[in-house]
């Protein structure tokens, strides 16, 4: 996947649909070794991802479309969101992962699908706070969404 800002949507309309296909809404546990409370996303993840994708596409001169007239269709499926604290003796690692699948159907009938995996990983000395967890999860989500809206093949499909 090559990233480029050279593909311009030229105002082309995109019909966006986002679905949450995760098998569980629990993304991990606070604490170490599954001893803490379940962690979930605060807010509506579908709306969060929809807003981020639309914002990224608008920066590339695409516009949201409510009709199918000449608009490409972009289906986004949220596949995974997980957060893991892996603690060692003195320190540990926090790894947040977010996966989504993007599927384009251009107005000319071209199809394109791709998986986009976002990861945030950092070393830990203590178990992170809820606020820190929110920030780390958000970075993994942003990483994945940025890969989708920077994928030249996806942008070409949407621009057709």
């Amino acid at each position: 996947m090559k990233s480029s800002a050279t593909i311009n949507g030229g105002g082309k309309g995109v019909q966006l649909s986002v679905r949450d296909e995760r098998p569980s809404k629990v993304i991990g546990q606070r604490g170490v070794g599954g001893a803490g409370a379940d962690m979930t996303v605060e807010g509506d993840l579908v709306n969060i991802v929809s807003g981020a994708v639309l914002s990224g596409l608008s920066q590339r001169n695409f516009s949201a479309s409510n009709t199918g007239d000449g608009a490409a269709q972009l289906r986004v499926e949220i596949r995974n969101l997980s957060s893991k604290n892996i603690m060692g003796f003195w320190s540990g690692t926090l790894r947040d992962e977010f996966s989504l699948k993007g599927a384009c159907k251009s107005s000319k009938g071209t199809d394109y699908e791709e998986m986009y995996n976002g990861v945030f990983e950092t070393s830990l000395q203590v178990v992170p706070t809820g606020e820190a967890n929110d920030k780390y999860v958000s970075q993994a989500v942003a990483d994945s969404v940025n890969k989708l809206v920077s994928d030249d093949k996806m942008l070409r499909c949407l621009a057709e």
Side-chain angles (χ1 to χ4, degrees):
M1 172 177 34
K2 185 177 164 188
S3 177
S4 173
T6 59
I7 296 176
N8 184 316
K12 172 99 179 186
V14 175
Q15 253 186 321
L16 175 66
S17 66
V18 178
R19 293 185 356 208
D20 190 348
E21 300 287 335
R22 295 176 294 152
S24 172
K25 303 305 179 214
V26 174
I27 64 173
Q29 280 76 36
R30 297 195 189 284
V32 180
D38 286 347
M39 290 174 31
T40 57
V41 173
E42 184 176 317
D44 185 346
L45 187 58
V46 168
N47 285 337
I48 292 166
V49 170
S50 294
V53 170
L54 287 172
S55 175
L57 290 176
S58 71
Q59 291 175 12
R60 285 153 179 80
N61 203 19
F62 289 92
S63 63
S65 174
N66 293 328
T67 67
D69 299 338
Q73 297 174 7
L74 175 59
R75 186 181 74 245
V76 175
E77 299 170 359
I78 300 167
R79 296 293 183 92
N80 175 51
L81 178 57
S82 64
S83 181
K84 298 176 186 136
N85 291 324
I86 307 156
M87 296 305 291
F89 186 72
W90 293 109
S91 65
T93 303
L94 174 123
R95 183 175 175 88
D96 291 337
E97 299 175 357
F98 181 70
S99 300
L100 57 82
K101 178 181 176 183
C104 167
K105 180 146 186 100
S106 76
S107 58
K108 294 182 180 178
T110 303
D111 290 326
Y112 177 74
E113 292 184 2
E114 187 65 52
M115 288 291 293
Y116 303 94
N117 298 305
V119 175
F120 177 81
E121 189 170 282
T122 189
S123 295
L124 298 172
Q125 298 229 329
V126 295
V127 175
T129 64
E131 185 176 309
N133 276 329
D134 291 347
K135 178 180 150 191
Y136 301 149
V137 167
S138 293
Q139 288 178 331
V141 171
D143 184 29
S144 183
V145 169
N146 285 335
K147 287 176 180 175
L148 183 148
V149 299
S150 298
D151 180 351
D152 282 350
K153 291 180 182 177
M154 180 63 73
L155 296 175
R156 274 191 207 99
C157 180
L158 294 172
E160 277 191 2

